[in-house]
Amino acid sequence: MNLGNKSPSNVDVSNKSQVNTKAMSSTKDLFENIWNAKVVIATAVLAMFVRFGYGTDAASPPGIASTYDITTNTDDYIGKTVTIISKPFKKVGSSSFTVSDSRFMSGEPFVVVNTTGVPFDLPKNKDVKVQVTGQVRNLDIPQIERDYNLDLQDEYFKDYVNKPVIIAQNIIQAPTPGQITSNAKRFYGGTLAVRGEVDNIQSPVLFTMDENYLLGAQDLLVFLKPAPKEEIRKGQTVMVMGELRPFNVNEIEQAYNVRWDERVKAQLEADYRNKPVFIASAIYP
């Protein structure tokens, strides 16, 4: 008896097993290749629809600075371009306003001078913050008027002379997700900056931002026009910039060339129809 030879039945089973394994491997590779191709195509298409000044290929806004640090360490910031997110307190003259988040930390309000060329109305809700990007300078009225061709109405600025001022190149509202979802109509149509925690990820370009601060408020649905360069993770804190509009699945499909199957569309319609969706043109960590 030759123990080194396999019986015909064992050989057949072995061969069939190998054939099945190869077939499964080939099928798996095929599906993975199809999926990867779809991802590449979707990413390329979505990237075509970046319309705002901040895009995935654009430089991110300058690092966020504390208003308290600016007022207490002014010399460290003079001449630097910064971004602040702060509550505006009151108008100063026709185009400026004061900001500060440090009333209870000995921080003094300082002035933001609007040089964008576009009027900016302060939020009606005093709890809504604004995001301001601009250069920090000392408030030297004659010099700033000459440099930016402004008339600052000196009488309104006398209490802030020789204190820090931000010469604003960009000013937008920066509400929380809950402030938006609790009164969405107030925010429709304008560019916004929203910072929050990623919660329910439905696809690489569709997720919700968690509302942790406003009792009873709902999470905010976010649709990314450009696909993110890095994977979005649940629990990650991100900033998105873009505009708010009522959710309509057909309009999004047509406007941004995305396609959801009928089951997904039906679920999205049931969950979000006529609720706000944030159409994000950029996302930053």
Side-chain angles (χ1 to χ4, degrees):
M1 181 173 64
N2 187 354
L3 297 176
N5 292 330
K6 296 181 180 178
S7 67
S9 61
N10 287 339
V11 172
D12 290 342
V13 171
S14 177
N15 289 338
K16 288 180 180 179
S17 177
Q18 291 177 8
V19 169
N20 289 338
T21 299
K22 289 180 180 180
M24 292 175 62
S25 178
S26 298
T27 303
K28 179 181 178 183
D29 290 342
L30 175 62
F31 279 116
E32 285 182 349
N33 289 336
I34 292 173
W35 172 253
N36 290 336
K38 287 183 177 180
V39 170
V40 170
I41 292 170
T43 300
V45 170
L46 286 167
M48 294 171 60
F49 292 93
V50 181
R51 298 176 183 171
F52 289 95
Y54 293 104
T56 51
D57 294 326
S60 61
I64 296 175
S66 160
T67 57
Y68 178 75
D69 282 344
I70 292 173
T71 56
T72 54
N73 301 293
T74 302
D75 290 345
D76 294 337
Y77 289 95
I78 294 297
K80 294 181 179 179
T81 298
V82 300
T83 295
I84 62 168
I85 298 177
S86 178
K87 293 180 182 178
F89 283 117
K90 68 175 182 178
K91 291 193 68 173
V92 179
S94 60
S95 62
S96 304
F97 55 92
T98 58
V99 292
S100 177
D101 285 329
S102 309
R103 281 187 167 181
F104 304 106
M105 297 175 62
S106 301
E108 296 183 7
F110 62 88
V111 175
V112 170
V113 174
N114 183 0
T115 61
T116 65
V118 179
F120 180 78
D121 294 326
L122 300 186
K124 293 181 180 179
N125 182 346
K126 294 182 179 180
D127 289 328
V128 173
K129 295 182 178 182
V130 296
Q131 176 178 291
V132 178
T133 298
Q135 187 183 60
V136 179
R137 297 179 58 165
N138 281 316
L139 183 52
D140 180 335
I141 294 176
Q143 186 65 50
I144 290 175
E145 287 179 329
R146 287 193 297 270
D147 290 347
Y148 296 95
N149 193 27
L150 296 174
D151 180 3
L152 292 182
Q153 302 167 290
D154 296 18
E155 67 273 19
Y156 295 107
F157 291 84
K158 61 183 180 181
D159 292 337
Y160 306 100
V161 171
N162 293 325
K163 294 182 179 180
V165 59
I166 291 184
I167 308 300
Q169 303 157 358
N170 182 270
I171 309 172
I172 57 178
Q173 293 192 60
T176 67
Q179 287 172 336
I180 291 175
T181 56
S182 62
N183 193 350
K185 291 182 179 180
R186 179 180 294 176
F187 299 102
Y188 285 147
T191 303
L192 304 172
V194 185
R195 191 171 185 83
E197 184 179 292
V198 175
D199 187 15
N200 181 20
I201 300 175
Q202 303 195 28
S203 82
V205 295
L206 192 68
F207 61 90
T208 61
M209 294 182 81
D210 192 18
E211 174 48 51
N212 292 320
Y213 304 104
L214 197 59
L215 186 63
Q218 297 179 340
D219 292 355
L220 176 64
L221 182 67
V222 177
F223 174 78
L224 295 177
K225 288 198 295 184
K229 290 185 176 181
E230 297 182 4
E231 181 183 0
I232 305 300
R233 302 183 306 277
K234 181 179 175 65
Q236 179 182 6
T237 297
V238 297
M239 175 180 287
V240 289
M241 299 181 69
E243 67 172 350
L244 191 73
R245 64 178 62 172
F247 181 79
N248 184 302
V249 67
N250 292 323
E251 287 182 359
I252 289 179
E253 280 193 327
Q254 293 171 10
Y256 306 114
N257 200 22
V258 293
R259 293 293 178 266
W260 289 299
D261 65 38
E262 292 304 316
R263 181 185 60 81
V264 173
K265 287 177 64 172
Q267 188 62 54
L268 290 173
E269 282 282 320
D271 291 343
Y272 298 109
R273 182 169 178 79
N274 293 326
K275 292 183 179 180
V277 57
F278 192 86
I279 308 296
S281 56
I283 182 168
Y284 304 107

